[in-house]
Amino acid sequence: MARLFGTDGVRGLANREVTAELALDLSVAAAHVLAEKGEFAGHRPIAVVGRDPRISGEFLSAAVTAGLASAGVDVLDAGVLPTPAIAFLTDHTGADLGAMLSASHNAMPDNGIKFFARGGHKLADALEDAIEARMGEPWERPVGESVGHIQPLAGGQAAYVEHLLSVIPHRLDGLHVVLDTAHGAASTVGPEAFQSAGARVSVIGAEPDGFNINDGYGSTHLENLRKAVVVHGADLGLAFDGDADRCLAVDSAGDVVDGDQIMAVLALAMRDRGTLADDTLVATVMSNLGLLQAMEREGVQVKQTAVGDRYVLEGMRKGSFSLGGEQSGHVIFLDHGTTGDGILTGLMLAARVAETGSSLEELTAVMHRLPQVMINVKDVDKFRVDEDPEVQAAVRAVEEELADSGRVLLRKSGTEPVVRVMVEAASSELARAKAEQLADVVRLHLSI
């Protein structure tokens, strides 16, 4: 049987795979497991629950809230807020756990459930497995005064904005910023934060109706933001995904600035301020070679992890590092939060522009992004990719040919019989040719 929890909670088609029944059972099991782990020691347990604006979040958050309350947990309903806001508020309120209903950048029909432990931390695999194992078990239900109380979380958005403003190193006065909030969870809080920081703000993709989240807007659809930045003559544009834990940018010329470029700018900003722990950035193996080369030139060490923000966070916590993230724009500031925060990332990037007086184009020039081509090779035995002698010989041959001007990465999918072939090279044509060459080798030798 497949594991219920994926790399970022439980996610799937709402009301088919992610049902009200599943949400209720999961929340009851989560309450039981976290209580037994001592998270609720000495006081009545409290949970913070939030969601993004997709319509299925209405009934799913009701189910999660009902499950928690039925297990004797008092629930603070934060309403529609970004995932990082729920993580922050879990810690800020002293709650014992948090729950967020969101499918992030996925299309509207999907939804998901993720839990946070005390302090706003994502759950370790062992805790997720324990929750899954406890689902549907018989239990003694509390009655009378022992059932949980449900009430709105007053002032949650204000507290989150105050937190964001307290940690940015420079105000944004004089900057014109276009925000694309993906018709998602940042539609209200994003503009408020940037305006409070002093920026002149133009907003697109900020009319959520329950159905339009991530539809043609946000970090996975940058076309409208690119146009808007140029039309408004803005200094930069920032795009969030549906739950606002990611941020990508657009410079004043309308060119895209990806997560690797954002991390390069922020790493140097933090190094210059003395806040980049051990002058080290944590990134995944998918980060562009251009980022590694730029950081080496600037004296910043890069620690690489497996793909996934949870592995970035794990690497950061293990080494007590302060900055890490992914090419997708999922950036973590461990001194200020426990998960990726798109609004905070955008504020930090804009603050660097305001602080230096340099344009975003000038700041990102520190890094030359190499052309990167990814090919998904389907219906292959992905588990032999690291051991097959013909495949590995082909990889070594391409690596020798590219030398220091490129990179090869073969990675097995975590959910499908797929091998992802990634090649970076000095030109798009060369990267494409070498990726197709290696993809052919994988098909030939690893076909099922």
Side-chain angles (χ1 to χ4, degrees):
M1 182 177 175
R3 187 173 186 266
L4 182 62
F5 284 90
T7 56
D8 199 17
V10 177
R11 192 177 296 185
L13 183 60
N15 217 28
R16 292 283 182 84
E17 298 163 341
V18 181
T19 63
E21 294 87 349
L22 175 66
L24 191 146
D25 288 346
L26 265 175
S27 57
V28 169
H32 291 162
V33 168
L34 293 175
E36 288 183 357
K37 291 294 179 183
E39 298 292 330
F40 300 158
H43 66 89
R44 188 181 178 97
I46 299 171
V48 175
V49 177
R51 65 181 181 90
D52 72 24
R54 68 189 77 212
I55 190 168
S56 59
E58 296 176 2
F59 76 79
L60 288 172
S61 63
V64 166
T65 298
L68 291 169
S70 74
V73 178
D74 287 339
V75 178
L76 300 174
D77 186 353
V80 174
L81 279 176
T83 291
I86 301 305
F88 164 75
L89 290 169
T90 300
D91 181 40
H92 180 71
T93 61
D96 300 282
L97 75 157
M100 178 69 185
L101 288 300
S102 177
S104 190
H105 59 281
N106 286 26
M108 181 275 293
D110 287 350
N111 214 325
I113 306 168
K114 66 182 78 175
F115 293 105
F116 297 101
R118 174 180 285 274
H121 297 287
K122 290 187 176 182
L123 303 187
D125 288 348
L127 277 178
E128 290 180 340
D129 291 341
I131 291 171
E132 185 172 346
R134 297 285 296 273
M135 289 178 63
E137 70 175 5
W139 57 291
E140 184 176 348
R141 299 170 183 270
V143 296
E145 296 180 353
S146 297
V147 301
H149 181 54
I150 302 169
Q151 59 184 328
L153 176 56
Q157 178 167 312
Y160 175 55
V161 171
E162 182 179 353
H163 161 67
L164 295 173
L165 297 177
S166 72
V167 301
I168 60 173
H170 198 281
R171 284 186 56 81
L172 310 185
D173 302 278
L175 282 188
H176 183 185
V177 181
V178 180
L179 298 183
D180 178 354
T181 64
H183 297 306
S187 293
T188 299
V189 67
E192 178 184 344
F194 277 82
Q195 288 165 354
S196 298
R200 175 186 169 197
V201 180
S202 299
V203 186
I204 63 174
E207 300 176 0
D209 60 10
F211 304 97
N212 59 359
I213 189 169
N214 300 317
D215 187 8
Y217 288 86
S219 61
T220 53
H221 304 280
L222 294 173
E223 300 81 9
N224 287 311
L225 180 61
R226 297 179 68 183
K227 294 175 184 176
V229 168
V230 174
V231 167
H232 286 288
D235 295 293
L236 70 155
L238 299 164
F240 311 122
D241 63 342
D243 68 336
D245 65 352
R246 300 185 190 188
C247 173
L248 293 180
V250 170
D251 65 26
S252 63
D255 293 326
V256 174
V257 176
D258 70 10
D260 285 338
Q261 294 169 293
I262 290 172
M263 287 191 290
V265 173
L266 295 178
L268 298 187
M270 292 175 65
R271 180 204 61 186
D272 292 349
R273 287 193 296 271
T275 58
L276 185 66
D278 290 337
D279 285 345
T280 298
L281 169 67
V282 180
T284 78
V285 293
M286 285 303 297
S287 276
N288 194 277
L289 178 60
L291 173 64
L292 308 184
Q293 293 172 336
M295 294 298 94
E296 183 178 8
R297 288 195 304 270
E298 294 291 334
V300 173
Q301 186 177 6
V302 178
K303 298 282 189 182
Q304 290 187 280
T305 72
V307 175
D309 67 282
R310 68 187 304 159
Y311 301 113
V312 173
L313 180 58
E314 180 181 297
M316 294 176 69
R317 294 178 70 177
K318 183 177 180 180
S320 298
F321 301 124
S322 51
L323 180 67
E326 297 185 279
Q327 194 178 64
S328 62
H330 197 125
V331 179
I332 302 170
F333 300 87
L334 200 54
D335 292 339
H336 310 305
T338 59
T339 187
D341 190 328
I343 298 176
L344 180 57
T345 299
L347 286 167
M348 289 292 197
L349 188 64
R352 184 60 168 173
V353 173
E355 178 184 26
T356 61
S358 300
S359 67
L360 187 54
E361 294 96 313
E362 292 169 329
L363 292 174
T364 56
V366 68
M367 173 186 160
H368 172 66
R369 183 172 51 188
L370 273 68
Q372 186 181 85
V373 172
M374 173 89 74
I375 297 177
N376 292 326
V377 186
K378 300 180 180 180
D379 300 321
V380 293
D381 183 356
K382 63 182 180 181
F383 297 106
R384 291 196 293 116
V385 67
D386 295 328
E387 301 173 358
D388 186 88
E390 288 82 4
V391 171
Q392 290 305 309
V395 169
R396 288 193 296 272
V398 173
E399 288 177 333
E400 290 174 3
E401 184 177 348
L402 295 175
D404 294 334
S405 65
R407 190 166 66 106
V408 175
L409 178 66
L410 270 60
R411 184 170 65 89
K412 51 182 174 287
S413 167
T415 58
E416 306 170 271
V418 169
V419 170
R420 309 194 195 284
V421 177
M422 187 276 287
V423 175
E424 292 169 350
S427 70
S428 300
E429 295 78 13
L430 181 58
R432 170 64 61 182
K434 294 305 172 184
E436 290 177 348
Q437 176 184 325
L438 289 174
D440 288 341
V441 174
V442 170
R443 290 189 191 97
L444 177 63
H445 295 285
L446 301 184
S447 293
I448 296 175

